[in-house]
Amino acid sequence: MTVTTSEALRTEASRRVPPPPAGGPEPGSPSAPGATTTAERDVTQDATQDVTRDASSDVSRDADALPGAGTATADARADLTRLLFAGPDPDRTHGTWRRLLGGPAFTYRPGLAPAERAALSYERLRLLNDVLTAEDPAAPARFAADPHRLAALHEWIGPVDGGLTTLASIHYNLFLGSLVDHDLAHDHDLSPFTAMRRVGTFLCTELEHGNDVAAMETVAVLDRERGGFDLHTPTPGAAKFMPNTSLTGGPKTAVVAARLLVDGEDQGIFLFLTPLSDEHGHLPGIRVRRLPDRTGTPVDHCLTSFTHVRLPHEALLQGEHGRLTPEGSLTSVLGNRRKRFLRSIGRVTMGKLCMSAGTLGMARAALTIAVRHAHSRRISGPRAGERLPVAAHRSHHGRLLDALATAYAMTFLHREVVDRFAGLGDGEGDRTDWAAGAADAGREDRADGTGREDRGDRGDRGDREEIERLAAVAKGWITWQARDIAIECRERCGAQGLFPANGISDLPANIEGGITAEGDNLVIWVKAASEMVFGHTVPLPPARTAPGDVDDPAFLRDLLTHAESLWQKRARTALREGPSGDPTGRWNATSTPALEMVEAHACRTAADAFLTAADRATDPTARALLRALCRVFLLRRLREHTGDLLAEGLLTPDQVRALPRALDTATAEAAPHLPTLAEAFDLPPDLLATIPLANGAGITHTLEQP
């Protein structure tokens, strides 16, 4: 089967799932898969009757604390959406991709083989590019230099095509972004890549050098006699591991990370622009072997190696971190090879924001579908003939509300990190400010011998390091939370959630890719933890003169800050008291409390962003909802720290006893507004119309009707 062209794709994908037929079986009826049987009802009816009545009355009573109890107003929903997608020019940043996502080209297509699904992702990548070039043929290059728009793209495409999310991150951020960040963008024609006549890819990780990529073996040897470079893979373990380098998707060009050798001297790792294939196949000296299909949406991952591939001098991506004359003289503002390497692959930090954005979009989509299903799926109630939505039960809506609270916290944290990251830099000409700032982040000495101490900008460097570390911490936390949310939503949808056409079952596996990409989560957290043990100051709140209120989000946030500080103190003690002369042993003793510190730091930072967003709400119902939701988020995170907080005198025994009830109260306040909270994620109605589970239907509505 051949994947259709973009025009045919739009036509073929224009099918919509019909609504449930009038008078047909009610979703969740005993005849439907997963329905409660008579025997099951008999066993559970007596046990649940009183609980159901109590829970229903709690929800009704406690919801009166919110303006517009029972149902939130349209103004509240609009205000929530505004806050979730706040930023520079939200319509351009998010609206462009939201409108495209609602089109027929992104409808789920059943029955495709893995190779066909991979090809479809490339078709969709070109549709994205068509949107950009409709603005201006050079727009893709500017897009690659815009952190807000780049991250937003991944949020919207993540839920519909995990493979497309991977391809877009590689082409726009890692490949085109690397070109934009270097001198090459000023004197090289980028139109083959901005017009996508050639797809860009990025080759850094090697088969035997993943987390220790700085030890890569691929070399680019300066050829003094003929000029240019000889790109070579010296050992089987140096093959580039799993870039999308097959012939699927058309001709490709790569940015290849390789060790620059000049007269046998290692000058550090740089990037080299390397054509891989044309209309006739792979170019001479380039060996590409397709890897087996992996978990998640298929991508054409390959093992790629080079056999003495000739590259011209201009293939070297140069900048302040390193410029090489044809004669072999290297100048750099950076003091050593490691700093030059980190500058060369500076796009990986933006990649962390792209990966977390993609999984964030997946989590919000899973919640939208699961919440809709929870209110349309009806089961037998405690009274004869009574039918209740599963959302009526605290055991169901409590889990979804907990996931919603986390998704809101994830979103607000991501906005904060992208805003701060976009503000990096010193505005060097046409270069991206934040990319220029990343170049400066590792700079200690200039060619004139003046160091940072002489220039008085140590604080500036510290800010950049903190923001880049926060991007890594946020990536780990967001992607891990997204996986938990997607799994929870899948389970809450029962057997219906197992069908890909219902929009949820593929998400956990796709999120796994984000957890590993652009730095394996645990590895980047270990690095952050090692820096934060002594290089991070926890902003402890002033001492309280009166006991705090466990219903007050500000007090709960302060408790989480104390938990962060306690784990940091433990990590410092472990490091100081670790075995002398055994660095690995000392870190082994330190890593557990240090990672707990990072976890608390991520949650506390997310809570800060959450509370800031709540304060910015203009609608009173939206503000009350956000504060209730933030209480749910904080109370859930504090449960594992109550023993420490009690021991330190930061909580009283009575307060510890009151925490479960406070969580239940916050849950009851927000529960009636569960649909509004989910609908504020603003998924396109046309997209939701193609997902049976999101419309009170089931997978059987994808079948031909008799």
Side-chain angles (χ1 to χ4, degrees):
M1 176 177 177
T2 302
V3 175
T4 60
T5 63
S6 298
E7 185 63 32
L9 181 66
R10 293 187 179 94
T11 302
E12 187 171 329
S14 61
R15 298 187 300 272
R16 288 289 180 267
V17 177
E26 184 181 33
S29 65
S31 61
T36 305
T37 65
T38 301
E40 290 169 335
R41 289 199 303 273
D42 290 340
V43 171
T44 60
Q45 184 168 352
D46 291 341
T48 60
Q49 185 168 357
D50 291 338
V51 173
T52 302
R53 287 172 180 167
D54 291 344
S56 299
S57 62
D58 283 348
V59 169
S60 299
R61 182 182 67 250
D62 294 336
D64 289 338
L66 283 166
T71 56
T73 65
D75 288 343
R77 193 269 197 195
D79 202 27
L80 292 171
T81 299
R82 177 185 66 82
L83 293 166
L84 285 165
F85 299 100
D89 196 356
D91 184 66
R92 184 169 180 266
T93 300
H94 291 279
T96 300
W97 309 121
R98 179 182 180 274
R99 288 186 289 271
L100 182 65
L101 192 68
F106 293 90
T107 302
Y108 172 73
R109 296 185 65 199
L112 296 183
E116 293 170 328
R117 293 179 69 191
L120 176 60
S121 295
Y122 280 100
E123 287 280 348
R124 288 170 168 170
L125 181 65
R126 287 185 162 82
L127 293 180
L128 302 180
N129 207 65
D130 289 345
V131 172
L132 290 171
T133 55
E135 300 174 4
D136 174 12
R142 291 196 300 273
F143 173 72
D146 186 337
H148 289 100
R149 290 193 79 193
L150 192 55
L153 168 67
H154 291 75
E155 286 186 47
W156 292 102
I157 62 177
V160 298
D161 192 333
L164 172 63
T165 309
T166 298
L167 297 180
S169 182
I170 294 170
H171 178 79
Y172 289 115
N173 179 55
L174 294 176
F175 175 79
L176 194 55
S178 293
L179 302 187
V180 169
D181 293 349
H182 289 77
D183 292 349
L184 180 141
H186 296 286
D187 53 21
H188 192 88
D189 179 16
L190 301 185
S191 63
F193 316 122
T194 56
M196 211 165 281
R197 296 192 296 273
R198 301 188 67 85
V199 175
T201 185
F202 189 82
L203 280 63
C204 186
T205 303
E206 296 178 351
L207 184 60
E208 293 185 358
H209 303 289
N211 294 325
D212 64 338
V213 68
M216 73 170 61
E217 300 177 71
T218 303
V219 295
V221 181
L222 177 67
D223 189 335
R224 287 189 179 278
E225 294 183 3
R226 295 185 291 176
F229 306 94
D230 181 287
L231 182 66
H232 186 64
T233 303
T235 67
K240 297 298 184 180
F241 181 61
M242 65 185 293
N244 56 315
T245 51
S246 81
L247 299 177
T248 303
K252 293 177 182 173
T253 296
V255 166
V256 180
R259 196 171 296 281
L260 173 62
L261 299 183
V262 178
D263 299 331
E265 183 177 352
D266 182 1
Q267 300 294 338
I269 297 169
F270 288 82
L271 301 181
F272 295 82
L273 187 65
T274 308
L276 299 178
S277 57
D278 58 20
E279 294 79 2
H280 307 290
H282 288 105
L283 300 177
I286 295 170
R287 186 186 185 198
V288 174
R289 288 177 286 169
R290 187 80 171 252
L291 292 168
D293 292 332
R294 63 161 174 80
T295 298
T297 307
V299 176
D300 57 318
H301 293 299
C302 300
L303 196 65
T304 306
S305 56
F306 306 95
T307 303
H308 298 294
V309 174
R310 297 283 308 161
L311 295 177
H313 186 270
E314 56 269 23
L316 173 64
L317 271 59
Q318 306 187 60
E320 283 193 329
H321 67 294
R323 291 190 173 94
L324 184 73
T325 67
E327 294 74 31
S329 176
L330 180 72
T331 59
S332 174
V333 299
L334 301 183
N336 58 48
R337 292 194 299 268
R338 176 172 174 77
K339 292 184 176 68
R340 291 198 285 269
F341 165 63
L342 293 175
R343 171 60 188 95
S344 292
I345 63 166
R347 274 284 163 163
V348 170
T349 299
M350 184 65 222
K352 291 178 173 65
L353 297 178
C354 290
M355 289 299 98
S356 50
T359 61
L360 175 58
M362 295 180 203
R364 292 199 304 248
L367 279 163
T368 301
I369 296 167
V371 168
R372 283 177 162 229
H373 174 69
H375 288 81
S376 64
R377 174 71 162 176
R378 292 183 174 271
I379 59 175
S380 297
R383 299 178 182 85
E386 185 178 23
R387 306 285 292 171
L388 291 175
V390 291
H393 293 274
R394 183 62 51 84
S395 56
H396 196 98
H397 70 240
R399 288 171 175 264
L400 291 180
L401 197 65
D402 182 26
L404 269 167
T406 303
Y408 270 71
M410 291 156 60
T411 301
F412 294 135
L413 173 61
H414 196 266
R415 299 284 175 262
E416 171 72 14
V417 178
V418 173
D419 284 348
R420 294 182 67 186
F421 183 72
L424 287 175
D426 50 17
E428 296 183 8
D430 294 332
R431 292 206 23 223
T432 315
D433 283 357
W434 53 270
D440 193 56
R443 186 184 306 160
E444 288 189 346
D445 302 293
R446 292 192 183 274
D448 61 6
T450 60
R452 283 190 167 271
E453 292 80 4
D454 303 309
R455 303 194 309 279
D457 56 358
R458 177 177 293 276
D460 185 47
R461 180 182 65 180
D463 289 344
R464 291 184 176 115
E465 291 173 348
E466 178 188 353
I467 293 169
E468 292 182 353
R469 182 171 62 236
L470 180 58
V473 171
K475 184 261 182 180
W477 187 73
I478 289 171
T479 55
W480 271 326
Q481 300 306 310
R483 177 176 60 188
D484 291 346
I485 289 171
I487 292 172
E488 182 70 51
C489 290
R490 207 294 304 157
E491 291 186 10
R492 299 288 67 74
C493 292
Q496 295 281 351
L498 295 172
F499 294 91
N502 275 329
I504 290 184
S505 64
D506 285 344
L507 297 181
N510 289 339
I511 291 170
E512 291 290 349
I515 288 172
T516 300
E518 310 299 10
D520 183 87
N521 279 1
L522 184 58
V523 174
I524 62 176
W525 267 32
V526 166
K527 180 178 183 295
S530 67
E531 296 168 353
M532 292 172 64
V533 172
F534 287 104
H536 167 65
T537 301
V538 180
L540 287 173
R544 288 182 174 268
T545 57
D549 183 352
V550 295
D551 288 322
D552 178 10
F555 173 59
L556 300 176
R557 178 266 180 201
D558 288 350
L559 290 175
L560 195 55
T561 307
H562 283 294
E564 179 184 350
S565 178
L566 288 171
W567 283 111
Q568 185 186 51
K569 290 176 183 177
R570 286 179 178 143
R572 288 176 172 178
T573 299
L575 190 62
R576 291 189 180 106
E577 297 177 355
S580 177
D582 181 5
T584 300
R586 290 182 70 194
W587 179 246
N588 282 340
T590 307
S591 60
T592 296
L595 288 169
E596 291 285 355
M597 169 194 64
V598 174
E599 170 81 20
H601 174 69
C603 294
R604 191 264 303 167
T605 308
D608 285 345
F610 206 144
L611 290 170
T612 298
D615 289 342
R616 291 173 178 165
T618 57
D619 180 86
T621 303
R623 185 182 303 110
L625 275 172
L626 287 174
R627 290 181 64 82
L629 207 58
C630 190
R631 295 203 323 270
V632 170
F633 173 75
L634 284 163
L635 288 163
R636 287 286 189 188
R637 267 66 197 171
L638 284 168
R639 287 194 301 187
E640 61 189 275
H641 301 296
T642 52
D644 284 339
L645 296 170
L646 179 64
E648 295 293 327
L650 297 164
L651 277 176
T652 66
D654 285 344
Q655 286 174 322
V656 173
R657 296 186 191 101
L659 288 174
R661 179 59 183 170
L663 175 59
D664 197 63
T665 299
T667 300
E669 287 181 8
H673 307 285
L674 201 64
T676 297
L677 290 165
E679 293 301 317
F681 293 150
D682 210 28
L683 263 69
D686 286 348
L687 174 66
L688 292 172
T690 68
I691 300 173
L693 206 59
N695 296 284
I699 196 63
T700 56
H701 286 277
T702 64
L703 305 176
E704 292 185 7
Q705 299 301 312

